[in-house]
Each structure stands twice: as C-alpha cells, then as structure tokens.
C-alpha cells in the first residue's frame, strides 16, 4: 500500500466522504419527493420527513408526519391518489450545502409542476424550495420543506406571476458557499482506507451512470441515432411505451424507422432527463435508475406537444466502462400545446398517453428513509493515492452542478456582484448578443454595464432552470466540464408567458479550495411565446431579448473576444451545437467539439451564417 495513512488524515478524508454522501442523500430525498408525488404515494412522501419535520405550502403548513400526510392529502389529490389526478412535480437546479457538523444541510431547488384533474383542469405552477435537511438516527431526512410560489396558471392561457411583485427568496448560500458544498472539518469515522475508497467509488459510479442517461437525452434531442445506439450493451433494450426494441443494431434500426437521423427546419425534439435516482449494486457491477422525462415536440404538419414519461433503467459495468442494458420509458401524459392535458389524446404507438388511466408506475428504488442502503463490497486494499483521487472525482460532480445552478439563481435576481464572484479569477463568460469577457472583474463590469445596479423588475421573473448535467472530471479532480440543458421559464404579471431553451457548456475549476466557473458558453435553441407554441415561432423571435445593433456596437466595456456560438436562438432553423465530450461508450467524436479554452476564440475558425458565427470546431 503506497503512502502512509495517519489516523488524523483517515478521519479527515472520511469526513469529506461523509459530507459528499450527505449531498447525494439530500438530492435523493428531493428527487424521491417528486417521484412519489407523481406516483400518488403520499405516505411515502410524508415518511421522508424527520420526526418533527415541517412542510410549508403557503398558505398551509404542517408539523410532524401525521399532519404532513393530512396536508398532502388536502393539496395533492386526496389520500386515495385517484388516477384522474396529475401531480408531476419536477425538482430542478439543486444547490446543496452541508454544515460543518455533518448533521445538517440546506438545499435550494426550482419546482416546475404539471398538475390537474381529468376533464376539469390542466395547470402549470412553479416556485423555489429553500429546504433544510437533518441526519436523524443515522439517516438523512427532510427537516423543513418550504415552497415559495412564483408563478401559476391554466394551460389554456399559460402561467403568470403569483403577484405584481414576487419577492426574492433569501439565499442559503453565498458564491463561496455554493463552491464549497462540503466544508473542511466534518467529523469522520475511522474506517479502513479500502472501505472508504469503496464508498467513494460508489459515488463516482453514480455520476458516471447519470452521465449515460444525460448523454442519451442530449443525443435524442438532436436525433443522433448512431450515438444513441452506441450507449447500449449488445443485448440492450429500449422501450418507448408499447414498442420495444432489442440489441444495439435493432435499436439503431428502429430509431431510424421512426424518424431519419438529424433535425429538419421547424423540428423540436427535446427529451429532458430529470430527477435521476441511481442505485449501485453492492458489488458495483450493475445499477438501476429511475427518472422522469419532459418532452417538447414540434414539427411541420404536426401538432406541438408536451409529454412526460417515467424511465426505469438498468446499467452494467464492463471492462471498458458502464453501458445501458435497458431503458424503459412509460408514458404519463401526452398533450397538444393548444389543448393541454385536461382531456387525453388517443393512444399513439411509442408516444402513447397513460394519464388518466393510472398514476405513475410503481416505484422501484429503495425508499431514502425506510430502507437502508447496503454497504458496498470491499474488494481489495486501497492506497492513500487511490482514496484521494477517487474522492476528489466524486466531489467534482457535485461542485460542478452546485456552481452551475447557483449562477442561474443569482442571475434571476440581478445579483451581479455575486454572479461575478462565482467565476475564477481568469474565468470567462459570454455576454448574450455582445461578446466574450475574460477575467472575473471584466465579467462583473460587463454585467453591470448591460443591466445596471438595480433589482430585477418586480413584475417579471426570468427563471433559468439548469438541468440534466453531464459532468466530465479531469484526472486529479481539480477541473471538470459540465453540459446542462437550460429550460428558462419567463413569467410576468402583465406579460405573456414565454420559454427559452438552450445548452450550457461550462468549465469548472477548484481554486483555493472553492469550486468556481472558469468558462461559460450558452447556445440558445428557441424562444417561444405561449400563444401558438413552437409552430408560431418566427426567425425574429430569437432576438426578443437582444439589445439593438447600435447598442451592441457601442457597448462599453468592449468585449475581449467574439461569441463562440450563434448570436441568436436560430429556431425554426437548426443551429449547430458543440459538445465537450465524445460518446462515452464508443468514443465517437461530435461534429463540433469543445476543447478546454481560455476564452479566446478565433472567428476565422467559424463558418459565417448571415449575422451569426458557426461554432469553431476546436478552441485555441
């Protein structure tokens, strides 16, 4: 065994590991909250709370398991969980921190809810959770779940803000706090290094399995069928509703039969993979995943549609890495954009609708509170270097997601100084429609110059939800890259609802012990007004939030470089999207690949398309 592990160092590493496990446990609790809500298992939801836990759903609140269950029954469809009620509550954009005592934690989330009752209503709503979590009897539980409503409305007209001045929801984190999800000094046990390394490896495996599911979503979005097929084992299975295809070649052929590879003008095929709950088997050889998929589908000659499906996945470790064994997507709802889900659509092959015939399918994962997680199998002795390296990689998955999501929350509230403080000293950021700024202080100056030192408009909420992270951690665990899907919900008091979608590609570094954003690239995909949906999008709508060309030309401070991507949301055109990663199974390179960058881009590497710049194949 290389290196010497002292008792003090073992305890320190064990404390870091315990804190990282706490972050994952907190995410699991919140994701389980959403899955149990969809399945109508209100008792399971109530059992997520500590003995004196508190649930706040304004104007109601309850304390203790029995009162919480009663409140859930009043507000979420009754104790009978009738199948004619829809209760999809998506938990998005986590920023999770653990206290130095290792026994308490905090979490901030966006909730996006699709609810209603068959034949009566189809509703959207959303808000922020600012929650506390506690370790009770050795198990992490919800201490306080506090929902702060921000917008709501019927599907027919779209949502609007809940008041003419929705207040800021206080942050439980600072930029430094978001970048330090696990502080130093958490008490640790004196477990043997090989046992600690096995636990750390389980956290890494959870991240790698989640990456495969995220990659599936990113590839399906663009109908990259070769890449989708490559993710599966040779005996893999893909099921969409009643249609099931087996074998990697069979999956690839079936997808091509449904639709040719690639997107055409006017096509939207988004499949967000949300709220993953990953269970790694004790022997580390297999894994199971439960997630929810949110669909946004449009195309010429077809109705615009929203969909929700439940995914149960099986994964297998091979000598060269993880593979998908099976993904089974079961429909929850499919609704025309102009009709909503008040009345169901006729069943359709592969995209069939289940609502209102049943609530969500039975839950396959272990309950976060009732069922203890079995310890991992310890196979061999681990060195000090092994333990350090594995733990550093595990920590990077959560550090990257934390600061990426913290950016969205601070941006929403016009907290420009705090937003800039999320960046590394030499970090870079694209300022939408203008250009790239390099260095934390240059980023700060550009944000203030663009938006001014003033609070956000009280009557308008731009809600940047960052979802579906694919995290690539570099050896040593001090740098990572993360790809996320943006689902921006715009809500106003006196303006029409709208949405913006895009893809973030971000570089993350650990600087002075704190995770920071080193680079941030955003490609918009589509800007949509509620009326008419995606089919009504015109080429000019992508410029909705852009300053005038004269303002851009005269902008002070001038950018340090050009934008790396398209200046505007191209839809109904299909713009290029770059990837920082190759296919995680086959290694197939993307058409547009992003290397690590210092923020300086040469426009000569791009291909001009009208007033936009095509993404450069490689950054310098």
């Amino acid at each position: 065994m290389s290196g010497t592990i002292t008792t003090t160092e073992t305890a320190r590493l064990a404390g870091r590991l315990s804190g990282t496990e706490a972050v994952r446990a907190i995410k699991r609790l919140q994701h389980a909250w959403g899955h149990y809500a969809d399945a109508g298992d209100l008792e399971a939801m109530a059992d997520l709370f500590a003995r004196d836990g508190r649930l706040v759903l304004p104007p109601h609140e309850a304390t203790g398991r029995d009162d919480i269950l009663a409140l859930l029954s009043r507000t979420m469809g009754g104790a009978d969980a009738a199948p004619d009620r829809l209760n999809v509550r998506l938990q998005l954009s986590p920023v999770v921190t653990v206290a130095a005592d290792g026994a308490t934690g905090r979490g901030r989330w966006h909730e996006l809810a699709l609810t209603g009752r068959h034949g009566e209503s189809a509703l959207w709503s959303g808000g922020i959770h600012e929650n506390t979590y506690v370790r009770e009897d050795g198990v992490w539980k919800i201490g306080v779940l506090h929902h702060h409503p921000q917008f709501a409305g019927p599907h027919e007209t779209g949502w609007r803000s809940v008041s003419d001045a929705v207040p800021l929801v206080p942050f439980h984190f600072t930029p430094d706090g978001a970048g330090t999800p696990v502080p130093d000094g958490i008490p640790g046990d004196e477990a043997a290094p090989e046992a600690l390394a096995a636990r750390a490896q389980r956290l890494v495996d959870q991240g790698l399995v989640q990456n495969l599911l995220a990659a599936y979503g990113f590839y399906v979005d663009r109908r990259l069928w070769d890449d989708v097929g490559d993710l599966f084992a040779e005996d893999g299975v893909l099921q969409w509703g009643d249609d099931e295809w087996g074998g990697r070649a069979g999956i690839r052929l079936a997808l091509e039969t449904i639709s040719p590879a690639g997107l055409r003008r006017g096509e939207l095929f988004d499949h967000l993979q949300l709220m993953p709950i990953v269970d790694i088997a004790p022997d580390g050889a297999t894994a199971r995943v439960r997630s929810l998929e949110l669909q946004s589908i449009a195309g010429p000659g077809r109705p615009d549609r929203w969909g929700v499906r439940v995914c149960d996945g099986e994964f297998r470790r091979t000598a060269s890495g993880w593979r998908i064994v099976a993904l089974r997507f079961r429909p929850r709802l499919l609704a025309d954009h102009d009709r909503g889900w008040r009345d169901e659509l006729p069943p359709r092959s592969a995209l069939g609708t289940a609502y209102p015939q049943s609530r969500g399918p039975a839950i396959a994962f272990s309950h976060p509170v009732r069922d203890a997680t079995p310890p991992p199998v310890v196979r061999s002795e681990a060195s000090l270097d092994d333990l350090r390296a594995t733990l550093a990689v595990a920590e990077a998955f959560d550090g990257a997601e934390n600061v990426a999501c913290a950016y969205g929350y601070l941006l929403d509230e016009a907290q420009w100084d705090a937003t800039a403080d999320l960046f590394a000293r030499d970090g870079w950021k694209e300022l939408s429609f203008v250009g790239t700024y390099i260095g934390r202080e240059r980023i700060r100056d550009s944000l203030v110059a663009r938006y001014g030192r003033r609070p956000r408009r009280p009557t308008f909420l731009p809600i940047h939800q960052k979802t579906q992270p694919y995290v690539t951690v570099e050896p040593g665990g001090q740098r990572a890259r993360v790809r996320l899907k943006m689902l921006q919900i715009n809500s106003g008091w006196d303006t029409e609802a709208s949405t913006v979608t895009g893809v973030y590609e971000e570089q993350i570094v650990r600087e002075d012990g704190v995770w920071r954003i080193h680079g941030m690239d955003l490609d918009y995909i589509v800007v949509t007004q509620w009326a008419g949906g995606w089919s009504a999008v015109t080429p000019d709508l992508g410029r909705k939030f852009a300053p005038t060309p004269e303002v851009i030309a005269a902008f002070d401070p001038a950018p340090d470089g050009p934008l790396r991507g398209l200046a505007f949301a191209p839809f109904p055109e299909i713009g290029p999207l770059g990837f920082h990663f190759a296919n995680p199974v086959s290694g197939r390179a993307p058409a547009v690949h992003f290397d690590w960058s210092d923020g300086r881009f040469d426009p000569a590497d791009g291909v001009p398309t009208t007033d936009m710049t095509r993404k450069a194949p490689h950054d310098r």
Side-chain angles (χ1 to χ4, degrees):
M1 181 170 64
S2 66
T4 301
I5 303 180
T6 67
T7 300
T8 301
E9 184 163 11
T10 303
R12 183 180 65 81
L13 292 172
R16 284 173 49 193
L17 175 59
S18 178
T20 306
E21 289 173 327
V23 171
R24 300 292 179 88
I26 288 169
K27 291 180 181 179
R28 184 184 183 92
L29 281 167
Q30 198 71 26
H31 289 172
W33 170 266
H35 285 287
Y36 288 130
D38 170 55
D41 194 340
L42 306 185
E43 290 195 359
M45 297 175 75
D47 286 346
L48 296 173
F49 286 80
R51 282 186 291 272
D52 59 350
R54 188 160 60 97
L55 173 62
V56 183
L57 302 175
H60 311 288
E61 65 177 89
T63 300
R65 191 259 185 201
D66 291 343
D67 285 347
I68 288 172
L69 179 58
L71 176 55
L72 292 173
S73 297
R74 292 198 305 272
T75 58
M76 296 191 181
D80 57 347
D84 66 345
R85 293 181 183 270
L86 187 73
N87 196 30
V88 174
R89 297 181 179 274
L90 304 174
Q91 310 297 304
L92 311 173
S93 304
V95 179
V96 177
T97 59
V98 178
D101 62 6
T104 56
R106 301 288 300 274
R108 189 179 183 97
W109 305 78
H110 278 306
E111 178 178 280
L112 177 63
L114 294 75
T115 59
R117 188 164 192 172
H118 182 245
E120 292 185 7
S121 62
L123 306 171
W124 290 89
S125 64
I128 287 176
H129 287 280
E130 264 289 348
N131 300 341
T132 62
Y133 305 85
V134 297
R135 189 169 185 173
E136 183 179 81
D137 302 328
V139 178
W140 281 95
K141 303 176 183 179
I142 299 174
V144 178
L145 190 152
H146 192 153
H147 178 64
H148 299 263
Q150 293 185 300
F151 62 90
H155 184 92
E156 290 86 345
T157 58
W159 53 81
R160 64 185 295 179
S161 300
V162 296
S163 75
D164 60 353
V166 178
L168 180 150
V169 179
F171 297 95
H172 80 264
F173 60 85
T174 63
D176 284 3
T180 317
V182 178
D184 289 332
I186 291 179
D189 55 38
E190 294 291 346
E194 52 267 33
L196 296 176
R199 286 162 53 191
Q201 184 60 51
R202 177 163 57 187
L203 298 177
V204 172
D205 288 335
Q206 287 174 353
L208 295 175
V209 168
Q210 182 173 309
N211 273 357
L212 277 182
L213 183 63
Y216 167 89
F218 284 121
Y219 292 147
V220 169
D221 285 353
R222 309 294 284 187
R223 292 203 184 111
L224 299 176
W225 297 147
D226 287 335
D227 283 299
V228 172
D230 286 352
L231 299 176
F232 286 81
E234 289 292 346
D235 59 346
V237 172
L238 176 61
Q239 179 180 347
W240 285 3
D242 294 331
D243 296 330
E244 181 177 308
W245 311 291
R248 183 183 297 164
I251 291 170
R252 176 65 182 81
L253 179 62
L255 293 172
E256 187 73 32
T257 302
I258 291 172
S259 177
L263 294 177
R264 277 70 179 172
R265 187 182 190 278
E267 288 186 327
L268 188 71
F269 201 62
D270 281 2
H271 291 67
L272 288 174
Q273 310 303 309
L274 306 173
M275 302 194 316
I277 292 183
V278 182
D279 283 321
I280 305 294
D283 64 1
T286 59
R288 295 182 64 87
V289 175
R290 170 86 165 205
S291 63
L292 283 180
E293 178 183 80
L294 178 65
Q295 304 169 325
S296 307
I297 302 171
R302 299 195 300 270
D304 297 354
R305 286 186 164 164
W306 293 93
V308 176
R309 298 193 294 192
V310 176
C311 174
D312 282 306
E314 301 171 26
F315 298 73
R316 179 191 305 144
R317 186 200 296 277
T318 70
S320 56
W322 286 95
R323 304 285 186 274
I324 299 174
V325 175
L327 290 181
R328 294 184 169 88
F329 290 91
R330 290 174 286 183
R332 287 295 289 119
L333 74 91
L334 187 70
D336 282 357
H337 177 79
D338 60 352
R339 292 174 54 187
W341 47 89
R342 183 174 58 187
D343 302 306
E344 79 270 24
L345 296 175
R348 296 178 62 210
S349 175
L351 295 175
T353 174
Y355 172 72
Q357 284 79 11
S358 66
R359 297 297 291 254
I363 300 295
F365 58 81
S366 58
H367 191 280
V369 172
R370 297 173 187 160
D371 306 316
T373 302
V377 173
V378 179
R379 296 186 179 279
S380 62
E381 198 172 68
S383 71
L384 174 61
D385 291 340
D386 293 335
L387 178 54
R388 284 174 175 159
T390 307
L391 180 55
V393 172
E395 291 172 325
F397 279 96
D398 300 295
E401 185 175 26
N402 241 33
V403 294
C405 293
Y407 171 88
Y409 288 113
L410 294 170
L411 190 70
D412 291 348
E413 295 294 347
Q415 304 284 312
W416 309 128
D417 286 317
T419 300
D421 288 342
L422 286 170
F423 285 80
R425 285 184 289 271
D426 62 348
W428 57 267
K429 177 189 179 303
E430 291 187 320
L431 186 66
S432 298
F433 313 110
V434 177
T436 301
Y437 290 82
I438 302 173
R440 181 188 298 156
E441 298 312 313
R442 293 278 293 164
I443 292 171
R444 190 189 317 277
D445 291 344
S446 71
L447 290 169
V448 173
R450 173 74 174 276
Y451 303 107
R453 288 194 179 278
R454 57 183 179 270
R456 65 163 167 84
R457 288 166 45 197
T459 58
F460 182 71
L461 290 166
I463 302 172
H464 293 76
Q465 299 171 130
K466 299 174 76 170
T467 69
Q468 194 178 299
Y470 183 108
V471 183
T472 302
V473 185
E474 295 194 2
Q478 302 305 298
R479 299 203 317 185
R481 284 170 284 178
V482 57
R483 180 184 182 88
L484 306 106
K485 194 70 176 283
M486 181 182 76
L487 175 58
Q488 181 176 333
I489 298 290
N490 297 315
S491 179
W493 179 248
D494 51 8
T495 58
E496 181 183 4
S498 63
T499 62
V500 185
T501 64
V503 171
Y504 280 97
E505 279 280 2
E506 302 186 19
Q507 300 171 178
I508 312 294
V509 299
R510 202 168 196 168
E511 185 176 84
D512 302 327
V514 179
W515 290 104
R516 307 281 189 192
I517 302 171
H518 181 267
M520 176 177 289
D521 171 84
L522 170 61
D523 265 341
Y524 294 109
I525 296 175
V526 56
V527 176
T528 316
Q529 295 288 99
W530 188 257
W534 303 287
S535 297
V537 171
T538 63
D540 289 337
L541 194 56
R543 293 166 167 80
K544 177 180 179 181
F545 300 105
T548 65
E550 293 76 17
V551 169
I552 295 174
F555 193 81
D556 183 20
D560 299 308
L563 297 171
R564 176 159 68 174
L566 303 182
F568 303 98
F571 194 85
E573 302 297 335
I574 308 301
L577 284 178
F579 288 74
H580 80 259
F581 59 90
N583 187 290
V585 174
S586 66
R588 179 185 289 105
V592 180
H593 179 257
F594 291 160
D595 293 325
W596 188 274
S597 173
D598 62 3
R600 293 172 173 82
F601 319 124
D602 186 347
D605 287 341
V607 179
T609 58
T610 65
D611 61 343
M612 305 178 186
T613 301
R614 186 178 174 85
K615 290 229 175 249
H618 295 280
D619 300 326
R620 298 184 173 178

